[in-house]
Amino acid sequence: MWTDPATLALHGQRVFLRADLNVPLSDGVITDDTRITSSLRTLRALRDQGCQVVLASHLGRPKGVDPTLSLAPVAAHLATLLGCEVPLITDYVDADPFAEGFPASGIVLLENLRFHPGEEKNDPAFAALLARLATAYVNDAFGTAHRPAASIVGIAHLLPSYPGFLLFDEVEQLSRLLNLGVEDRPFVALVGGSKVSDKLPILRNLLIRADQLLIGGAMAFTFIKAEGGAVGKSLVEADALEDAMAFLNESEMRGKLIFLPDDAVCGTSLKEPAVGVHPADQIPDSLAGFDIGPETIEKFSDILSEATTIFWNGPVGVFENPQYAEGTLELARRIADGDATAVAGGGDSLAAIHQAGVADGFTHLSTGGGASLELLAGLELPGIAALKAGG
């Protein structure tokens, strides 16, 4: 049922809470706990109602059981944040994990759902197995709402099902961008990242809704190459060149403005020092572009400064490397300093915004990259559709 979580009353029930706890790890240590802290509002609300919470998530892309992708570090971090024990349940398939009673803490965390092949296949048997662990289902995992998984779709048809605070707020905030009035325009979309093939379907849909589209990141070089530019060793998807050119032609037919980088900060590799700035369509054969250059920063900033509404997904350079971070960080600062309604989505975009220290300057920071793009493209997310259909 699609209902405001603030009105939800599940007092004393055992609730299966699907969260997005897919946090970045380095040698088993959590490097950014944003997704964990984002789930706490719903988790605490359920515990305040006396619910027993069966918390579940995936982590990474394991092929079978992978100890390096265990949710054990997440369980330990949650225990610290909540000030209580959070047992990690590793065997919930072949045994009843609560045969001897539910922990006094009122919360358990299931081991990585993707350790089981039935999760990503939306296997009805695996969904039924999960459903038997609870009497109600709450989905607060917006970041995976576009994935038709057993814990996202299958279980929602088997139990009374509701959205959590994070998921509900995400859909409410992002849906506003689908119904912009004249007073909300110009609407400018800034899209970065590496692969054209991953984002081209979404770009086509954004093309319909946005007034102007700025393209940065490595995927910009596929478009520049398609137009006949020289991009050196920059990342190019050769099998996407024809589609990229067709997209540019489509934009021209629609009268929509697409802006590509004019210049790029280049180097021989990410391991070597940057060697300078070159026109983005005249990069020497020995070099690759890893960030937008100063002319592009100013051009993009000028366009963004005239926007009334902005949506940003994906960095415009390899911002993890300080030599190639300036483009992404400076655009984050310029957007935050402006007056536009500014929404950003995706883990890398959010990481860059936090790195720039300007999170407070954005209207909404979405925890879902792919999910936010698909929602803004007007596509129905499987996880949202399942909740609306009800259990």
Side-chain angles (χ1 to χ4, degrees):
M1 181 183 297
W2 190 254
T3 181
D4 189 333
T7 66
L8 189 60
L10 295 172
H11 299 281
Q13 294 197 48
R14 183 175 294 172
V15 178
F16 190 104
L17 174 58
R18 178 52 159 102
D20 182 8
L21 307 177
N22 184 30
V23 294
L25 296 173
S26 177
D27 297 324
V29 177
I30 297 169
T31 58
D32 182 353
D33 72 347
T34 301
R35 285 175 172 163
I36 298 175
T37 57
S38 296
S39 71
L40 293 181
R41 184 183 178 193
T42 298
L43 178 56
R44 285 175 170 146
L46 292 172
R47 295 183 76 212
D48 287 345
Q49 291 188 25
C51 297
Q52 295 176 334
V53 181
V54 179
L55 183 61
S57 177
H58 76 283
L59 179 62
R61 299 178 180 273
K63 298 184 183 300
V65 177
D66 182 349
T68 67
L69 292 175
S70 169
L71 282 168
V74 174
H77 193 59
L78 272 169
T80 299
L81 292 173
L82 297 172
C84 68
E85 178 188 15
V86 181
L88 182 69
I89 307 299
T90 57
D91 187 2
Y92 51 88
V93 174
D94 299 320
D96 179 359
F98 312 124
E100 298 181 6
F102 205 86
S105 62
I107 176 174
V108 299
L109 175 63
L110 302 186
E111 183 56 286
N112 194 336
L113 291 169
R114 288 186 178 174
F115 283 181
H116 302 280
E119 166 64 0
E120 292 187 89
K121 294 178 181 178
N122 192 19
D123 177 28
F126 187 62
L129 184 149
L130 297 177
R132 84 185 193 335
L133 301 176
T135 57
Y137 170 73
V138 173
N139 186 350
D140 212 25
F142 177 72
T144 52
H146 60 313
R147 304 293 187 191
S151 68
I152 297 294
V153 173
I155 190 174
H157 295 296
L158 302 175
L159 294 173
S161 300
Y162 314 91
F165 284 103
L166 183 147
L167 185 140
F168 187 84
D169 289 347
E170 290 270 24
V171 174
E172 293 294 300
Q173 290 280 354
L174 292 168
S175 293
R176 292 174 185 170
L177 299 184
L178 294 174
N179 301 288
L180 297 178
V182 175
E183 69 279 6
D184 301 310
R185 295 184 179 275
F187 173 30
V188 178
L190 169 61
V191 183
S194 58
K195 289 191 174 182
V196 174
S197 55
D198 288 346
K199 293 188 175 180
L200 197 54
I202 307 300
L203 287 173
R204 286 198 175 100
N205 283 283
L206 281 175
L207 189 65
I208 298 171
R209 291 178 166 79
D211 299 299
Q212 296 165 311
L213 185 57
L214 313 181
I215 298 178
M219 72 174 181
F221 294 112
T222 297
F223 288 100
I224 294 170
K225 179 76 171 179
E227 290 187 312
V231 298
K233 297 194 299 180
S234 304
L235 181 64
V236 169
E237 288 184 89
D239 55 356
L241 289 171
E242 186 174 335
D243 288 339
M245 195 64 226
F247 175 76
L248 294 174
N249 290 335
E250 181 184 348
S251 69
E252 186 174 352
M253 289 172 52
R254 290 182 178 274
K256 295 296 182 76
L257 297 177
I258 292 183
F259 296 90
L260 298 169
D262 290 331
D263 58 347
V265 182
C266 301
T268 55
S269 77
L270 288 172
K271 296 180 180 179
E272 300 296 329
V275 299
V277 177
H278 290 270
D281 59 354
Q282 299 175 40
I283 297 175
D285 292 343
S286 61
L287 301 179
F290 296 117
D291 190 14
I292 59 173
E295 290 184 16
T296 304
I297 291 175
E298 292 307 316
K299 180 175 77 170
F300 281 13
S301 295
D302 287 345
I303 296 168
L304 292 164
S305 70
E306 297 295 325
T308 302
T309 306
I310 296 169
F311 175 70
W312 179 21
N313 176 274
V316 295
V318 187
F319 77 97
E320 299 89 345
N321 185 325
Q323 297 183 96
Y324 304 110
E326 184 59 21
T328 299
L329 299 183
E330 183 59 19
L331 289 184
R333 290 188 283 261
R334 301 283 185 98
I335 293 172
D337 287 342
D339 297 323
T341 296
V343 176
D348 288 339
S349 300
L350 268 58
I353 289 166
H354 286 298
Q355 186 175 322
V358 295
D360 290 344
F362 282 75
T363 309
H364 180 66
L365 298 178
S366 175
T367 58
S372 63
L373 282 172
E374 291 195 15
L375 186 63
L376 286 181
L379 303 178
E380 186 172 49
L381 307 188
I384 310 303
L387 289 178
K388 291 180 176 179

